[in-house]
Amino acid sequence: MTLLELQGVEKSFGGLSVLDGVTFSVETGSIQGLIGPNGAGKTTIFNIVSGLLRADAGTVVFDGEEITEMAPRRIARRGIGRTFQITRPYPGMTSRDNLLPGLLYAGGYDRVRDARTRATELLELVDLGADATEESRSLTMSEQKRLEIARALATEPELLLLDEVFAGLSHEDINRQIELIERIQSDLDITIILIEHVMEATMTICDQVGVLANGGIIAEDVPAEIAHNEQVIDVYLGSGGEGVGGGVDA
Ligand SMILES: Nc1ncnc2c1ncn2[C@@H]1O[C@H](COP(=O)(O)OP(=O)(O)OP(=O)(O)O)[C@@H](O)[C@H]1O
Ligand SMILES: [Mg+2]
């Protein structure tokens, strides 16, 4: 079943056309990769799907309902959660309290006490149980990435949009993060779209990978096919990357 469908989505900033008819769909229960050179418009797609930006044209349908014009908070309540490429923990708050706004405003929790209990569970899920009462600013890069994922999970999403949650991580942390994302998909039954430059991660966990370049999806296939797709390799080499099989990094 299709959970999310974009049809002919367009977006320009000033005179710069970034998305020029983006069409793709995501199946329920899958992990869908979204790759493409820097500046291709990947984060812009997440901003449109989560309602932070309006598309100039085209439609976004989630779970059978058009959400193209919906406000971000309604979209979050409707079941789409997201992380931000630049992690933004609330300063001066503990890791656990960072999850409360999401739980209370979009996650369906009315009582702070229940929200705190759920926050503790979610922190345990992302291996931050021991840091629940640490101030979020004191977390390492890897811990901040996991807190960012927990914050997105706090809105109790059906669809989770992950924007470069592997960036800047060590090899060991990448493997840990891969396990975490697989656990989220299988244990919590959440569909995932993963924007990523770390190919090792994309190729390992994605069921399907879409490639965004020159304003549209230029290829969509299983990871093994994408890695050998000539058009995709050209796009990456043209952007000064190391090729799709290597470690193209932001
Ligand atoms: N709110 C905005 N206002 C103006 N320009 C924007 C805005 N958001 C994105 N852009 C521009 O749109 C283009 C695509 O940006 P976007 O962040 O979506 O790319 P990306 O594929 O996520 O890149 P990266 O891999 O570097 O994160 C860039 O040229 C960017 O400068
Ligand atoms: Mg981006």
Side-chain angles (χ1 to χ4, degrees), residues 193-210:
I193 309 181
L194 187 79
I195 291 180
E196 201 47 66
H197 286 286
V198 176
M199 289 306 152
E200 181 191 352
T202 319
M203 295 300 159
T204 309
I205 56 179
C206 293
D207 299 304
Q208 191 82 6
V209 177

Side-chain angles (χ1 to χ4, degrees), residues 71-228:
R73 193 160 140 185
R74 250 187 94 203
I75 292 175
R77 285 187 174 156
R78 189 71 186 69
I80 301 181
R82 69 167 294 174
T83 66
F84 288 89
Q85 193 167 349
I86 314 278
T87 58
R88 326 167 162 175
Y90 301 118
M93 272 195 195
T94 64
S95 300
R96 191 178 58 190
D97 286 352
N98 258 275
L99 272 55
L100 296 183
L103 287 160
L104 293 166
Y105 293 119
Y109 288 81
D110 298 327
R111 290 168 33 177
V112 174
R113 192 147 59 110
D114 297 340
R116 284 228 166 87
T117 305
R118 181 61 178 155
T120 304
E121 282 170 15
L122 288 173
L123 289 173
E124 278 164 9
L125 178 85
V126 302
D127 294 333
L128 284 178
D131 303 285
T133 55
E134 289 284 317
E135 205 195 304
S136 53
R137 252 189 312 213
S138 68
L139 300 178
T140 65
M141 168 69 103
S142 158
E143 289 166 344
Q144 280 183 36
K145 292 273 180 192
R146 278 180 279 132
L147 178 62
E148 184 69 13
I149 294 173
R151 281 171 36 136
L153 290 174
T155 65
E156 301 285 349
E158 266 177 79
L159 173 67
L160 180 61
L161 312 176
L162 298 177
D163 198 349
E164 299 202 22
V165 292
F166 291 93
L169 299 188
S170 68
H171 184 71
E172 195 187 348
D173 284 335
I174 287 175
N175 286 332
R176 188 175 178 182
Q177 193 84 305
I178 287 174
E179 275 175 41
L180 169 63
I181 290 166
E182 287 178 334
R183 206 158 64 218
I184 289 170
Q185 186 242 7
S186 62
D187 294 5
L188 299 183
D189 219 4
I190 292 175
T191 305
I192 293 171
I193 309 181
L194 187 79
I195 291 180
E196 201 47 66
H197 286 286
V198 176
M199 289 306 152
E200 181 191 352
T202 319
M203 295 300 159
T204 309
I205 56 179
C206 293
D207 299 304
Q208 191 82 6
V209 177
V211 185
L212 181 69
N214 307 317
I217 300 290
I218 59 158
E220 199 180 5
D221 214 325
V222 293
E225 292 297 323
I226 288 293
H228 297 108

